[in-house]
Amino acid sequence: MEKAKYIWMDGALVEWDKAQTHILTHTLHYGNGVFEGTRAYMTEDGLAIFKLREHTQRLLNSAKITRIKPNFSLQELENAQVELLRANDFKSNVYLRPLVYLGYGIMGLYHIKAPVQTAIAAWEWGSYLGEEGLEKGIRVKISSFTRNPVSSTMGKAKAAANYLNSQMAKYEAVEAGYEEALLLDDEGFIAEGSGECFFIVRNGVLISPPNDTSLESITQGMVLELAREAGIPIERRRVTRDEVYIADEAFFTGTAAEVTPIRDVDNYVIGDGKRGPLTEQLQKAYFDVVYGRNPKYKHLLTYI
Ligand SMILES: Cc1ncc(COP(=O)(O)O)c(C=O)c1O
């Protein structure tokens, strides 16, 4: 990965290589830590964070769900992210990774006395699933892993522990020659990708499963808003794997994945096996928003 100059740790800018933690850091052992993935784009008017408020609020919501009392407020965390990007003087698009975690001091599962710490890293990062993937589409495998069920996991929290499921699914998919995994819920309906929400298009209708067993995706919300604005009919309903196989188009959304077309699922060619027209329209509209080219949505950008 690209190193930057500084990482923000509990109020201080620390040199990248010195941003370290004790080996008995609680989160390292039990996985209760919450994080965000946020992007800043190099717009014509300079670097700007997309939906800083929504991402920071989700970080605090994740902490609430997992019974962590954050040591900084919403406003302080927003200011810290801006301060970090200013100090690092980035030249291209950036990914931000705020992390609220339980530090060193106690062991054992009952974490109420574990010290809460916050770190924010940021580095220059291009497209998550590849430039070619954004244009031509990626190959996806339906995972043998069931998405974390709501009866045992709290998927509205972007919590480190929830990502073992994602990590195993991703590993399996890549080992099998695909680029991304698509997970089903415990009833066999489409849940989400390992780090993305999922859409199909059938007969001109844009369909995305409800967020019952997925993160409440900020990118999915933005894409749905853009589709609504463009007059594209939308359905939020459960989707089965056979419906995916006969879809006209399919794509993933996520802060990292942005809007990534899917060209095949389990070796079934989706539509024409390339980025579909509606996917392309929504992808373009999304990039116009995040790069500040759509005046209606400029207020979603925090300029550095
Ligand atoms: C499991 C999972 N689902 C969906 C998403 C997409 O969410 P967002 O669009 O808010 O980045 C992510 C990425 O954050 C994720 O990790």
Side-chain angles (χ1 to χ4, degrees):
M1 70 190 297
E2 280 294 313
K3 279 189 193 180
K5 289 184 197 153
Y6 301 108
I7 290 180
W8 187 96
M9 292 182 85
D10 291 317
L13 289 172
V14 178
E15 280 174 44
W16 180 278
D17 287 328
K18 294 193 176 143
Q20 292 167 356
T21 188
H22 197 280
I23 196 66
L24 291 178
T25 294
H26 200 277
T27 298
L28 205 51
H29 296 254
Y30 303 114
N32 188 8
V34 294
F35 64 94
E36 261 311 311
T38 308
R39 271 191 191 269
Y41 287 87
M42 194 54 82
T43 72
E44 276 187 358
D45 302 316
L47 195 61
I49 306 175
F50 179 59
K51 290 207 173 190
L52 174 63
R53 171 58 55 96
E54 258 188 73
H55 280 281
T56 311
Q57 185 59 59
R58 188 169 67 183
L59 180 71
L60 295 180
N61 291 349
S62 297
K64 181 174 184 185
I65 290 171
T66 59
R67 295 187 180 277
I68 294 176
K69 288 203 174 76
N71 53 341
F72 290 94
S73 68
L74 181 74
Q75 194 57 58
E76 287 167 336
L77 290 168
E78 286 187 5
N79 293 347
Q81 290 170 83
V82 171
E83 182 193 355
L84 179 71
L85 294 201
R86 284 198 182 131
N88 275 306
D89 193 22
F90 290 114
K91 302 288 179 243
S92 63
N93 293 351
V94 168
Y95 189 78
L96 289 115
R97 169 50 55 82
L99 171 71
V100 180
Y101 62 105
L102 302 172
Y104 159 66
I106 63 138
M107 266 295 140
L109 288 176
Y110 187 50
H111 68 275
I112 196 159
K113 292 207 170 114
V116 177
Q117 295 185 246
T118 302
I120 307 168
W123 62 92
E124 291 182 352
W125 206 17
S127 55
Y128 177 60
L129 294 164
E131 279 300 322
E132 199 182 318
L134 282 177
E135 208 187 302
K136 300 205 167 124
I138 59 163
R139 302 192 58 237
V140 170
K141 174 180 168 24
I142 294 193
S143 184
S144 72
F145 290 93
T146 300
R147 188 67 182 137
N148 296 323
V150 290
S151 51
S152 64
T153 332
M154 297 187 284
K156 299 288 169 284
K158 202 166 162 61
N162 289 347
Y163 280 82
L164 182 61
N165 180 251
S166 287
Q167 218 179 317
M168 294 300 104
K170 176 84 183 184
Y171 201 97
E172 176 190 68
V174 174
E175 290 279 291
Y178 295 83
E179 284 148 295
E180 187 52 287
L182 180 60
L183 291 98
L184 306 181
D185 66 20
D186 51 350
E187 290 184 83
F189 293 93
I190 305 294
E192 61 176 340
S194 72
E196 308 86 7
C197 280
F198 180 73
F199 286 81
I200 56 170
V201 177
R202 286 193 76 193
N203 304 318
V205 180
L206 185 67
I207 305 162
S208 193
N211 296 114
D212 296 353
T213 46
S214 80
L215 193 68
E216 284 180 337
S217 159
I218 291 168
T219 318
Q220 180 190 39
M222 188 71 239
V223 166
L224 287 168
E225 193 174 336
L226 291 168
R228 223 169 277 124
E229 194 181 72
I232 298 166
I234 295 166
E235 287 177 12
R236 297 296 307 276
R237 61 164 174 80
R238 301 208 286 191
V239 173
T240 54
R241 69 191 294 165
D242 50 357
E243 194 177 11
V244 174
Y245 297 152
I246 56 170
D248 303 321
E249 302 180 33
F251 62 92
F252 277 133
T253 60
T255 298
E258 298 163 315
V259 178
T260 297
I262 296 170
R263 65 186 159 95
D264 98 55
V265 177
D266 293 341
N267 244 345
Y268 287 83
V269 175
I270 304 300
D272 296 331
K274 55 183 195 200
R275 177 173 60 186
L278 222 63
T279 307
E280 188 170 357
Q281 180 187 337
L282 291 168
Q283 188 188 53
K284 182 181 174 305
Y286 180 74
F287 281 130
D288 282 346
V289 170
V290 297
Y291 278 101
R293 296 189 291 254
N294 184 337
K296 185 175 170 198
Y297 294 106
K298 267 205 154 185
H299 64 281
L300 301 177
L301 296 170
T302 303
Y303 287 88
I304 301 306

